[in-house]
């Protein structure tokens, strides 16, 4: 293991509850009465793909998919600036990865402007060698491209990379990229037993251990 790639939402920042708020408000403006459970079904997907999925189901009139996407993103960024906080163990884990001289990447389904808001709010920009958004890929997670591009930018082979993910879509994407993956299930969601696809599951980054993670590559 030479490289570690972090997902962002639900791994570094406690943003999944904020995403739910933004989606419920944003979709509510076009007449969709979504529940938090509805929002959990699309965790890990790119927001424009989520909006298109709901439009195909509900066919609202007036606002375009782009309008709704932009509205949800705007609400989310406001929520991050007001209420965003790092999840337990984040700073300790990032410090440990730096001290171990690992290459550190960030690969997320979130748009670039959301990434910037998170990096600034948590003051973690300096930890990352590469930051990459699936906004710039043809397909978002569970397609592996966001991870493969991140590895390429880090000048590293996929098989030398460890991914830290919270969602099933992210785990599937990492495995499809031929990377090892540790799942840290997001605590506000109902546990998904399919996360067993990950190479290891831990409750929190507070218990992440680099030496134990290296054993996944033996």
């Amino acid at each position: 293991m030479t490289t570690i790639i972090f997902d962002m939402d639900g791994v570094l920042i406690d943003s999944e509850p904020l995403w739910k708020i933004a989606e419920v408000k944003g979709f509510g403006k076009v007449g969709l009465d979504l529940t938090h459970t509805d929002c959990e079904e699309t965790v890990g997907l790119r927001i424009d793909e989520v909006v298109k999925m709901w439009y195909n189901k509900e066919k609202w009139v007036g606002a375009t998919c782009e309008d709704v996407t932009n509205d949800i993103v705007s609400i989310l960024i406001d929520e991050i600036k007001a209420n965003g906080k790092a999840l337990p163990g984040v700073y300790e884990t990032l410090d440990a990865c730096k001290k171990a001289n690992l290459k550190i990447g960030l690969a997320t389904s979130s748009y670039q402007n959301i990434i910037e808001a998170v990096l600034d709010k948590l003051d973690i920009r300096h930890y990352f060698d590469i930051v990459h958004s699936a906004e710039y890929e043809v397909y978002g997670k569970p397609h592996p491209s966001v991870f493969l591009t991140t590895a390429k930018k880090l000048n590293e082979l996929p098989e030398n990379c460890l991914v830290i993910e919270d969602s099933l879509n992210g785990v599937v994407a990492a495995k499809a990229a031929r990377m090892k993956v540790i799942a840290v299930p997001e605590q506000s969601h109902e546990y998904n037993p399919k996360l067993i696809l990950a190479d290891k599951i831990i409750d929190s980054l507070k218990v992440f251990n680099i030496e134990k993670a290296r054993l996944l590559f033996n």
Side-chain angles (χ1 to χ4, degrees):
M1 180 179 77
T2 61
T3 301
I4 187 164
I5 301 174
F6 291 88
D7 176 43
M8 187 176 75
D9 295 292
V11 171
L12 300 177
I13 184 170
D14 188 17
S15 57
E16 295 299 350
L18 308 183
W19 269 108
K20 291 174 183 176
I21 291 170
E23 289 182 29
V24 168
K25 286 183 178 179
F27 284 118
K29 292 180 182 180
V30 291
L32 274 67
D33 185 19
L34 297 190
T35 66
H36 284 194
T37 300
D38 291 327
C39 297
E40 287 182 15
E41 294 177 5
T42 56
V43 169
L45 299 181
R46 212 168 56 191
I47 186 58
D48 62 317
E49 296 175 329
V50 174
V51 171
K52 288 176 183 176
M53 183 200 79
W54 282 112
Y55 177 76
N56 288 335
K57 288 184 178 182
E58 302 293 337
K59 301 293 185 184
W60 62 76
V61 296
T64 65
C65 287
E66 184 177 5
D67 291 337
V68 175
T69 297
N70 291 338
D71 193 29
I72 291 172
V73 168
S74 178
I75 296 169
L76 176 66
I77 289 175
D78 287 343
E79 290 288 337
I80 288 169
K81 290 179 178 178
N83 302 306
K85 59 183 180 180
L87 283 158
V90 165
Y91 294 109
E92 295 85 350
T93 298
L94 290 172
D95 282 336
C97 291
K98 274 294 185 187
K99 289 177 182 177
N101 293 315
L102 294 175
K103 298 176 186 177
I104 307 176
L106 177 65
T108 173
S109 294
S110 284
Y111 283 8
Q112 189 68 39
N113 53 353
I114 300 173
I115 297 173
E116 299 300 326
V118 171
L119 294 178
D120 289 342
K121 179 67 177 181
L122 303 188
D123 191 23
I124 56 174
R125 187 184 301 273
H126 58 286
Y127 286 107
F128 297 98
D129 299 299
I130 289 294
V131 172
H132 184 56
S133 168
E135 176 182 2
Y136 306 115
E137 302 290 345
V138 175
Y139 302 107
K141 301 173 187 176
H143 195 280
S145 58
V146 67
F147 289 127
L148 292 171
T149 299
T150 301
K152 184 176 181 179
K153 288 184 173 184
L154 288 165
N155 194 30
E156 193 52 81
L157 296 172
E159 52 264 37
N160 293 330
C161 298
L162 172 67
V163 171
I164 310 294
E165 263 287 355
D166 70 307
S167 72
L168 179 61
N169 284 314
V171 168
V172 171
K175 296 302 289 184
R178 307 185 312 285
M179 299 177 180
K180 299 294 185 183
V181 56
I182 293 178
V184 189
E186 212 283 331
Q187 296 299 309
S188 71
H189 297 163
E190 183 178 347
Y191 178 74
N192 190 333
K194 293 181 181 178
L195 286 172
I196 193 96
L197 290 170
D199 296 283
K200 186 177 179 64
I201 300 174
I202 59 177
D203 292 332
S204 164
L205 283 181
K206 289 177 70 175
V207 300
F208 176 78
N209 181 283
I210 288 177
E211 294 311 312
K212 289 183 179 179
R214 290 188 193 278
L215 296 176
L216 297 176
F217 291 80
N218 293 341

